[in-house]
Amino acid sequence: MKFTSTRNEKIKASAAEAITMGLAPEGGLYVPLEFPRVSLDEFLGLDYEDLAVLILSQFLPEFDNLKISVKNAYADAMPVRLKTFPNKFAFLELFNGKSAAFKDVALQLLPHLLTTSLHKIGENRKAVVLTATSGDTGSAAMSGFSNVPQTEVIVFYPDEGISQMQRLQMTTQTAKNVHAVAVKGNFDDAQKAVKLIFQDQEFEKKFEASSFFSSANSINLGRLLPQIVYYFWAYSQLVTGGEIKSGEWVDFTVPTGNFGNILAGYYAKRMGLPIAHLICATNKNSVLYDVLSTGTYDCNRDFYVTNSPSMDILVSSNFERLIYHLGGAKLSEETQAELANSGKYHLPKAVYEELKKTFWTEKVDDQETQATIKAVSNESHYIIDPHTAVAYAASQKLKPTNYNVILATASPYKFADTVEKAIGKKLDKKGQPQALMDLEKEKVTQTKCVEKNELEKIIEEIYDKNN
Ligand SMILES: *Cc1c(COP(=O)(O)O)cnc(C)c1O
């Protein structure tokens, strides 16, 4: 299995190289050159661990310790569960892991994949993992990488917009190798600033004798691959549970920001999973809704802080991978150049038509989100978080006829303020995930806050102190 760059097909990399580097040279993203096929007989009925090994080994055949990696990643906290309901829908809970959001599925495994990758390519230097977060990646990365040898993790989170719980999850972390830094501005400011560091070779040179930069953002291939697994697993559970017949088409509805989660669903489809539609649900920051319903991507617009903050994004990085898979490296390179120059681009008609066959889309505002949390609580006696509510509301508007699996991406306790306001009462403390208990009593140890042009300075400071 070989990987290439979305912006230059001459680049070829092994999985170990791709996972180690995070971003391809010239700023492209690593993508598989082809999609391996997995048939229904091969995967139906497997438990999560065996299924994960089956799927991941298609992309990482040279990783001979996958079984152990998967086992260790999920031993303490298995993030994934399926909750089925009458009327052909289910919530796929992805939030039962260490930080109570779906990012855990990938970030509990990524450190294992990265350690194997470093070993495979004979890299003895330290990986300095730089990550921009809209809230959930940060805590998941910090807990996933806590005390992992040969790694130093620095997460940058926007000073505005994230929930109090999200902030505390990062600022109370104590492992010596994980650091959280607030950046004045919104997520896009933080993400842009981190991407610039990856392109600043002069800066990287300062560390090169002992370290190199890598990323735990969803641009890293090692984030994307573990997410393919739960699409297969949900399908398998539905068949085993008698909800659908083997081979029957299903739809998945995904609350979307950086397009990482839903892209993994697209990969599952390309690998042969019978997915008819992927419903891309966005909040008021509806840049993806717009491109999927008009063919024009345009981030010249206001940025809103919403009650589903992990989706408050205008530059949706992984969409570039979809463009590559549908239109090739030339189109991907051109559109990204246009985006950099003018903040917008148009997709060619053929590519857009192709994309519309699979991707459906809807947008949902804060009020609808609140109303949906209340309605689902009343009708199904199940409490969802605001991100999951965006997905549920979007699918209600589109009325899919296939069995509809809604990806539940965060614990309602992580966004307690919004949820309690919606349902008009306090959440029952009994159901609170272990990961969030006592957070308010813990000591805040991470207090750094910088301007968006000060990231390099703070990286040097942290680095000098720890090395
Ligand atoms: C990150 C996140 C999303 C968006 O996922 P993408 O892969 O960025 O599209 C949705 N919901 C929650 C709770 C998240 O943490």
Side-chain angles (χ1 to χ4, degrees):
M1 190 72 179
K2 277 274 182 197
F3 298 86
T4 187
S5 161
T6 47
R7 300 187 198 175
N8 181 355
E9 266 173 333
K10 289 203 194 83
I11 291 172
K12 298 281 181 296
S14 68
E17 287 165 336
I19 291 170
T20 302
M21 304 306 294
L23 214 58
E26 300 151 36
L29 311 185
Y30 286 111
V31 279
L33 276 164
E34 60 193 341
F35 288 103
R37 303 281 295 186
V38 175
S39 69
L40 291 162
D41 329 330
E42 280 175 278
F43 79 84
L44 285 179
L46 292 184
D47 68 22
Y48 198 93
E49 266 177 33
D50 288 341
L51 184 58
V53 173
L54 173 71
I55 300 297
L56 294 169
S57 64
Q58 310 293 319
F59 294 97
L60 312 169
E62 70 276 34
F63 284 43
D64 38 27
N65 58 348
L66 273 177
K67 179 114 196 169
I68 300 167
S69 296
V70 169
K71 209 182 186 62
N72 289 341
Y74 301 129
D76 303 340
M78 177 61 222
V80 187
R81 287 178 209 159
L82 187 77
K83 293 255 154 73
T84 57
F85 290 81
N87 302 327
K88 286 179 48 177
F89 83 94
F91 286 109
L92 180 60
E93 288 187 353
L94 302 172
F95 56 72
N96 301 294
K98 293 191 174 160
S99 77
F102 102 93
K103 308 290 196 290
D104 288 326
V105 181
L107 280 164
Q108 287 179 202
L109 183 56
L110 180 65
H112 300 273
L113 299 180
L114 180 60
T115 306
T116 305
S117 299
L118 294 175
H119 185 71
K120 284 227 176 287
I121 62 173
E123 177 62 79
N124 298 318
R125 293 176 302 166
K126 181 185 268 189
V128 178
V129 179
L130 302 178
T131 292
T133 175
S134 58
D136 291 330
T137 298
S139 51
M142 291 173 87
S143 74
F145 279 98
S146 273
N147 299 316
V148 173
Q150 217 186 327
T151 66
E152 189 100 39
V153 173
I154 309 177
V155 305
F156 295 97
Y157 64 92
D159 195 34
E160 57 189 55
I162 68 172
S163 84
Q164 176 62 3
M165 209 55 123
Q166 289 178 309
R167 186 183 297 268
L168 284 173
Q169 279 186 305
M170 290 185 274
T171 55
T172 59
Q173 299 256 353
T174 54
K176 287 225 157 36
N177 70 323
V178 300
H179 315 274
V181 178
V183 180
K184 296 203 180 116
N186 61 43
F187 172 69
D188 280 318
D189 297 325
Q191 173 159 268
K192 224 183 278 164
V194 171
K195 276 193 183 162
L196 282 177
I197 295 173
F198 281 105
Q199 282 155 28
D200 186 347
Q201 278 154 11
E202 285 302 304
F203 184 65
E204 215 163 339
K205 276 215 180 80
K206 293 189 189 172
F207 306 86
E208 129 192 299
S210 61
S211 304
F212 66 96
F213 292 142
S214 186
S215 164
N217 273 119
S218 62
I219 50 168
N220 192 315
L221 186 74
R223 281 280 302 277
L224 192 52
L225 302 181
Q227 293 171 187
I228 301 171
V229 177
Y230 49 71
Y231 286 90
F232 278 90
W233 185 79
Y235 191 92
S236 171
Q237 291 292 109
L238 289 175
V239 173
T240 331
E243 300 284 334
I244 58 169
K245 290 199 218 40
S246 173
E248 188 176 328
W249 292 101
V250 297
D251 296 338
F252 282 88
T253 306
V254 189
T256 297
N258 227 351
F259 211 75
N261 197 356
I262 196 167
L263 186 77
Y266 178 72
Y267 279 26
K269 179 177 167 69
R270 293 288 299 261
M271 292 171 75
L273 192 67
I275 297 175
H277 305 111
L278 289 159
I279 299 175
C280 174
T282 76
N283 65 24
K284 194 176 176 187
N285 295 297
S286 59
V287 67
L288 288 168
Y289 166 82
D290 292 346
V291 66
L292 293 172
S293 47
T294 66
T296 297
Y297 193 104
D298 187 355
C299 44
N300 302 308
R301 60 175 76 208
D302 291 336
F303 176 94
Y304 300 103
V305 172
T306 72
N307 60 13
S308 47
S310 305
M311 293 151 59
D312 288 346
I313 290 172
L314 299 183
V315 182
S316 191
S317 301
N318 281 293
F319 197 68
E320 177 177 345
R321 283 189 163 113
L322 182 65
I323 294 180
Y324 167 82
H325 290 303
L326 294 173
K330 190 161 165 286
L331 179 67
S332 166
E333 204 250 312
E334 283 167 6
T335 47
Q336 290 308 311
E338 281 176 52
L339 190 66
N341 288 334
S342 66
K344 83 194 251 186
Y345 59 79
H346 307 283
L347 290 173
K349 192 154 186 293
V351 168
Y352 176 60
E353 292 300 327
E354 187 57 32
L355 172 159
K356 279 189 36 145
K357 285 184 197 158
T358 300
F359 289 90
W360 288 5
T361 188
E362 259 303 342
K363 60 177 170 182
V364 175
D365 68 22
D366 276 8
Q367 264 181 338
E368 292 171 291
T369 303
Q370 293 265 2
T372 303
I373 295 170
K374 185 172 179 195
V376 173
S377 165
N378 288 344
E379 288 156 24
S380 301
H381 307 287
Y382 181 74
I383 296 184
I384 55 178
D385 97 292
H387 305 80
T388 309
V390 167
Y392 185 87
S395 69
Q396 288 287 98
K397 292 186 190 190
L398 289 165
K399 300 195 180 27
T401 51
N402 298 315
Y403 198 100
N404 179 25
V405 182
I406 296 152
L407 271 51
T409 48
S411 160
Y413 289 86
K414 201 160 178 174
F415 300 93
D417 288 352
T418 303
V419 172
E420 289 174 348
K421 220 192 293 164
I423 60 176
K425 59 175 189 229
K426 288 271 166 206
L427 284 166
D428 184 355
K429 282 270 179 239
K430 276 208 301 271
Q432 174 138 348
Q434 193 63 40
L436 304 178
M437 277 194 203
D438 297 332
L439 216 44
E440 266 142 27
K441 283 184 238 140
E442 266 165 49
K443 203 166 148 226
V444 171
T445 53
Q446 313 249 7
T447 53
K448 295 186 179 69
C449 180
V450 300
E451 301 287 342
K452 56 193 173 202
N453 59 4
E454 293 178 334
L455 268 62
E456 296 194 339
K457 201 170 109 208
I458 195 87
I459 292 169
E460 280 189 86
E461 264 176 49
I462 291 173
Y463 189 81
D464 289 345
K465 221 168 166 184
N466 277 265
N467 292 281

